[in-house]
Amino acid sequence: MTRPGHQSESQVSAAREKFLSRPVPELAGVREIISASWRRALEHRINADEPDPIFVADRDEDSLLLRSAKPILDNLTSELSDHPVAILLTDADGLVVSRSSPDRALHSGLDRICLAPGFSYAEESIGTNGIGTTLECQQPVLVSGFEHFNSRLATFECAGAPIHHPIRGHLVGVLDLTSWTGTPGPLLLTLARTTAKRIEEAMLAGAGARELALFREYLASCRRGSGAILAVNEDVVMVNNHAQDLYDAADRAALITHTADVAGSPTPATVLADLPSGVVARLEYRPVHHGSTLVGGLFRVKNQAVPRRASGPADVRLPGLAGCSPVWRQACSAAEASITGGNWLVLTGEGGTGKTALAQAVARRHAPGRQVVLDCAPVGNYEAWAHALADEAGCGNSPAVILRHADTLTEEGMRRLTELFTTWQAAPPDEAPAWVAVTVGEDPRGTEIHNWLMPFFAHTVEVPPLRHRIEDVRHLVPALLARHAGNRDLEVSDACLRQLMRLPWTGNVRQLDDVLAQVSRRRRAGVIEVDDLPAECRTVTRRQLTRLEVLERDAIVRSLAANNGNKERAAADLGMSRATIYRKIRAFSIVPG
């Protein structure tokens, strides 16, 4: 059989076999959307003969998508009761969440290829098919017969249509109609497309009902009393006039960020938030339900403490550093307290937060002599390294010694360092360093560092990640940009700065610095706009993540970086399935490096 714009089944089958034996960039007579998908399947090392979709047990069975689609799909099933057509709904990761088929033979055929609820039909799992290829292309796709990458799927005709969230616009799933090869594919595709649109309209009505319920509670709360009120869910944030009068834009942004910690909780809670102005705000949370569905939460905001004075111990201005958020000032003050009290310091935190920069700034201000900064990570010969460090620290002028990545040392390295520390602490002041600081990761592995090194350090200070002091971006950007621009007249627009402040910055200040370095190389002078930013900085999820989701997202990002972007190895390191890590990558909008 030949369809308009298609070769016959035998010709497509021959082209597929030729491609599998010797992949070529172009295939005569094969649609580009199909040949491109075949190439992706080869990259993912998909089995071309036996389907092996991944099964995922932890699927969401009470999503807005499923609730909105169910009556529409039930009606469509009834209308197609005399036709051998299966109706499938998947989430945004290609995971099948529902399937209905009145035809027993078709039902059994789909079971044999595991096209059933709980199985992932993303391209990364199964290759070219109506579900996975629709997800990849984000447009309606018909895959016929041997256009499927896997030969076991060649007996089916699959038409997929994407479903987008009606408010946020992101892809939430696929409506797929599957039948036997020979069924008029264009008709299946048209029906799939119109059904997907009906589901989007139903989702809009459902989302509208949620927002209306939240809005009514918000108005009632505003009428019941004065004070700052916030209403929050995944799609909207409502802030009353009192909140706008009491808090400036930076404080309001910080308040909204803190609401994400509890906004999805079904029980009331209270959160304390340090705001950029120095105020400590108390957020009293009450969940809002529409029937049995949680639709968001209301926050009544009260000041827990008066604004801090303009000067005092918290107002730290260390040379070469930028930032004035409360958590950053607290870290700086604690680091300064270490050196002024004559104590050595451990700085802990995520990579790229500025631990070494903070140690250097503290030393520059309070021990303005020579600095010895060494990285422990690349050390091989520990005996020679320890002797060189002893010579450099003992050659006069009592330098400040800063050792980076001390938690990467082996037991031998820590033993050598312990011997050196013991010598320094027993030596006269002019024969020992003026101060010692070491940096370690946020969760140093093993007990060696705690047994060998920690007894020498009275103070440990955690340097906060950039996402926990996002208001500091407005101070960091001009400071970092000045280093890269030199004498050039280069600055960022207000819109660009706002976009930078929306990003999660999982790589912290180092990632921000890398982005500004890239931009400064491309734009030599003038004003940097949003369009000048790298592609990964121009999109961001609108949904605020919970603290648990932030930890999960950051763990995935770090594992992907450690495995050079290989998702399978990253998933194995994290103890999750391949389908799960793909789903999480999409959900968190992670851009693998």
Side-chain angles (χ1 to χ4, degrees), residues 107-153:
H107 190 88
S108 298
L110 297 180
D111 281 345
R112 286 193 294 272
I113 61 171
C114 297
L115 184 48
F119 287 93
S120 171
Y121 255 67
E123 278 196 347
E124 298 92 344
S125 178
I126 206 72
T128 310
N129 70 92
I131 294 169
T133 307
T134 296
L135 287 173
E136 286 293 332
C137 302
Q138 299 201 18
Q139 67 183 57
V141 174
L142 175 67
V143 181
S144 306
F146 279 99
E147 288 182 333
H148 289 92
F149 185 78
N150 192 286
S151 60
R152 288 280 303 281
L153 276 59

Side-chain angles (χ1 to χ4, degrees), residues 214-224 229 231 238 298:
L214 181 62
F215 183 59
R216 285 173 176 165
E217 286 295 320
Y218 166 73
L219 289 179
S221 295
C222 290
R223 285 194 296 266
R224 282 196 290 266
I229 303 290
M238 290 176 271
L298 286 174

Side-chain angles (χ1 to χ4, degrees), residues 205-435:
R210 291 190 316 146
E211 266 65 76
L212 182 59
L214 181 62
F215 183 59
R216 285 173 176 165
E217 286 295 320
Y218 166 73
L219 289 179
S221 295
C222 290
R223 285 194 296 266
R224 282 196 290 266
S226 60
I229 303 290
L230 282 74
V232 180
N233 70 10
E234 290 181 352
D235 299 314
V236 300
V237 174
M238 290 176 271
V239 180
N240 69 349
N241 289 334
H242 288 285
Q244 298 193 53
D245 293 339
L246 289 171
Y247 303 105
D248 61 19
D251 277 2
R252 291 199 301 273
L255 284 172
I256 293 169
T257 298
H258 282 283
T259 65
D261 293 340
V262 294
S265 171
T267 57
T270 300
V271 175
L272 294 180
D274 285 325
L275 304 184
S277 64
V279 170
V280 178
R282 179 186 180 90
L283 287 79
E284 298 173 353
Y285 166 75
R286 177 169 61 85
V288 176
H289 291 82
H290 178 56
S292 60
T293 304
L294 180 66
V295 298
L298 286 174
F299 292 84
R300 187 173 293 278
V301 186
K302 302 175 183 178
N303 286 352
Q304 185 78 1
V306 297
R308 296 187 181 103
R309 294 176 298 173
S311 61
D315 291 326
V316 179
R317 293 294 182 268
L318 291 171
L321 300 183
C324 62
S325 65
V327 291
W328 176 245
R329 292 202 305 262
Q330 184 179 6
C332 292
S333 295
E336 282 204 299
S338 164
I339 194 169
T340 56
N343 296 307
W344 292 0
L345 175 66
V346 174
L347 288 164
T348 182
E350 298 177 10
T353 51
K355 299 185 290 292
T356 302
L358 176 55
Q360 289 180 290
V362 168
R364 196 176 300 121
R365 181 172 186 177
H366 296 279
R370 195 165 52 92
Q371 289 187 17
V372 177
V373 182
L374 295 176
D375 191 346
C376 300
V379 176
N381 187 334
Y382 287 109
E383 182 178 5
W385 175 76
H387 283 304
L389 178 57
D391 291 343
E392 192 162 3
C395 65
N397 299 327
S398 297
V401 174
I402 301 169
L403 302 176
R404 304 176 61 218
H405 306 125
D407 49 334
T408 63
L409 290 169
T410 64
E411 184 174 341
E412 181 192 353
M414 291 187 188
R415 181 174 58 80
R416 296 280 185 182
L417 202 53
T418 297
E419 293 171 355
L420 192 56
F421 284 172
T422 302
T423 301
W424 286 347
Q425 290 198 339
D430 59 346
E431 297 179 12
W435 184 58

